[in-house]
Amino acid sequence: MTEGIDDPEDVLGRYESLVDDVTAFREACARPLPAVVRVNEIEAAPDEVRAGLREEGIPFETADWHDGLLRLPEGDPGHSWAYAHGWVYGQEEVSAVPALVLDPEPGERVFDPCAAPGSKTTQLAALMEDTGLLVANDSNLGRLSALRSNAERCGVSNVLVTRSDARNFSLQPFDDEPFDRVLVDVPCSCEGTIRKNPDALADWTLDHVEGVSGVQKGILERAVEVTRPGGTVVYSTCTFAPEENEAVLDHALRNSECELVPFDLPLESRPGVTAWDGAEYDPAVERARRIYPHHNDTGGFFCAKLEVTA
Amino acid sequence: MRDDDATDGGEAPTENQPHQFDRLPATVADRDVPERATREGVVEYWRDRYGVDPAVWDGYTFWEKGAGKVWAFAADVPSPVEVEALGMTFLRTGGEHWKPTTDAVQRFGRYATADDTVVDLSRERARRFLAGGDQDLDWDGDWGYLVVRHEYGGRPEPIGVGLFLHGELRSQVPKGRRREL
Ligand SMILES: C[S@@+](CC[C@H](N)C(=O)[O-])C[C@H]1O[C@@H](n2cnc3c(N)ncnc32)[C@H](O)[C@@H]1O
């Protein structure tokens, strides 16, 4: 059990065999995270945002690994000019990683199948310099309306929003033209968000993990199908569960036309695990990266980069 | 709402369908829905009223969803298309006076070079404007819809649309975007 968080099943205990320092891992999970905003470069440059925050008397500290991520010791400035102008977006530091790994270029065709409420959609749009085509999809209507208002506040004009189950997303409205890059940020059991949501583990069940793992496999499979050969797919979750991470990649390697490729991260990370709970995974899953809360003092995250082969 | 109704594709539309997006025709000569705005008209409006260089819109397509509601999209897809959103809400073209949206002015107001339709407020006045309040204003520029800005982060930054009439500036910031700072 970990002091300070609601974890009746001791879910964190489940991952002790995966982490190097169990005490540091548990302590980090119980420590709340500082508020962080990402500079929305569609509207302003990091230096302009810093100047604006100074004018407003809002203290901040720039993250050491990314000039456009600002930590706010006094909390989230929802009521500020910076927000009103769409210059910043409240986003957990580690959640900025997958869009950077996908690394879309201006003018490309990019797909975000599980997009709501739009943290990564708005970041992708900025990386694309608000050009090209960005298709943001989600199955949940309420969350889509949050996505729309976030995209509007951030001045995103290259996004097309659809509502469908990503497992059978249709390319038909796009002349069947495949995407260059896809960001597969699937629904998951969210254990890695425990530092933001202290009740994230309260309702954890193995049944849910197994159910959502099936959904994740279906979404990743469809994502690979709608990506052009040579295109890139990034798979990300905020869970530590191998059932939702390496097992999903293993399934894709066996059933879809794709391979895992190595990539660099600006944060300390660990390789994917090749064995878990009696299951063995394709050794290539070691190319995926696990980000644990105690290594960089962030939330927990999982990220893999795939190249589509046919 | 009838947002989920299927539409029969293929034929050219003869009236506005509220649940689908139709690309604006290039010019009046290309238009098959009477009253629909045209791309040429939209580009001229921003040039003539706000001094926006037409080249700003080179990569953009303009779409209508429901009569008079124009959206701006930085890409293109086959028209018509049934989706939840396409780019951003941009312009209301119904009625005598066209009206830019808050989204449009926050995103594209930086390209406005006209001095009789762009007004700069002090921080105190900007605060009142963002909160949705009306205020008396000594202004000898144009009447009608103005781009309202203030100095922030080292540059003049658009906040939204103001309606100037009879010495009064009325904030058009929609309820969901108002803030008391
Ligand atoms: C981890 S969240 C995405 C967060 C988002 N990418 C961001 O950065 O703001 C997962 C999303 O997947 C959506 N979702 C769940 N099942 C889905 C499905 N079968 N098809 C499409 N979206 C789905 C959920 O509604 C939820 O918004």
Side-chain angles (χ1 to χ4, degrees), chain A residues 3-266:
Chain A
E3 200 73 38
I5 55 178
D6 184 9
D7 184 8
E9 303 288 322
D10 192 23
V11 179
L12 294 181
R14 191 171 187 253
Y15 304 116
E16 286 193 353
S17 66
L18 301 181
V19 294
D20 48 5
D21 183 339
V22 170
T23 313
F25 170 66
R26 284 185 181 271
E27 280 175 4
C29 286
R31 219 166 34 237
L33 277 178
V36 174
V37 292
R38 174 176 50 76
V39 171
N40 171 27
E41 299 208 34
I42 293 175
E43 296 287 355
D47 281 338
E48 290 173 315
V49 174
R50 282 187 279 262
L53 292 176
R54 274 188 211 106
E55 266 176 52
E56 296 192 75
I58 298 171
F60 62 87
E61 179 197 315
T62 303
D64 36 16
W65 64 279
H66 193 296
D67 191 42
L69 290 172
L70 309 176
R71 298 176 189 143
L72 303 155
E74 292 184 1
D76 204 354
H79 281 249
S80 63
W81 283 109
Y83 258 96
H85 286 309
W87 284 21
V88 294
Y89 190 107
Q91 180 175 11
E92 224 239 278
E93 215 169 297
V94 77
S95 128
V97 165
L100 297 171
V101 173
L102 190 69
D103 197 20
E105 309 259 344
E108 284 187 327
R109 299 168 63 84
V110 178
F111 179 37
D112 189 357
C114 303
S119 324
K120 300 176 193 75
T121 309
T122 50
Q123 186 185 4
L124 290 169
L127 291 168
M128 297 164 76
E129 296 174 10
D130 200 23
T131 65
L133 173 66
L134 175 56
V135 176
N137 175 78
D138 205 279
S139 57
N140 182 314
L141 198 58
R143 290 177 63 97
L144 272 178
S145 88
L147 165 91
R148 284 190 43 194
S149 76
N150 284 326
E152 281 167 5
R153 189 180 58 84
C154 290
V156 176
S157 65
N158 70 342
V159 72
L160 179 156
V161 181
T162 60
R163 175 161 72 114
S164 71
D165 185 324
R167 289 172 288 188
N168 35 49
F169 179 80
S170 171
L171 274 183
Q172 190 257 320
F174 313 101
D175 275 342
D176 292 317
E177 178 90 22
F179 295 99
D180 298 306
R181 295 176 206 260
V182 181
L183 179 61
V184 186
D185 189 44
V186 287
C188 72
S189 53
C190 294
E191 297 148 355
T193 66
I194 184 68
R195 303 183 64 180
K196 270 234 126 49
N197 316 310
D199 55 358
L201 303 175
D203 301 321
W204 188 97
T205 66
L206 190 56
D207 272 357
H208 175 259
V209 169
E210 281 161 359
V212 82
S213 165
V215 175
Q216 292 159 343
K217 287 172 184 161
I219 295 175
L220 180 55
E221 189 166 346
R222 185 63 189 146
V224 171
E225 284 169 5
V226 299
T227 305
R228 69 168 168 79
T232 302
V233 174
V234 165
Y235 179 81
S236 60
T237 72
C238 49
T239 174
F240 305 116
E243 292 91 336
E244 302 179 48
N245 293 327
E246 289 86 350
V248 176
L249 298 177
D250 180 75
H251 182 267
L253 291 175
R254 279 188 284 112
N255 298 286
S256 300
E257 306 283 355
C258 61
E259 56 190 35
L260 279 162
V261 292
F263 60 99
D264 292 326
L265 275 185

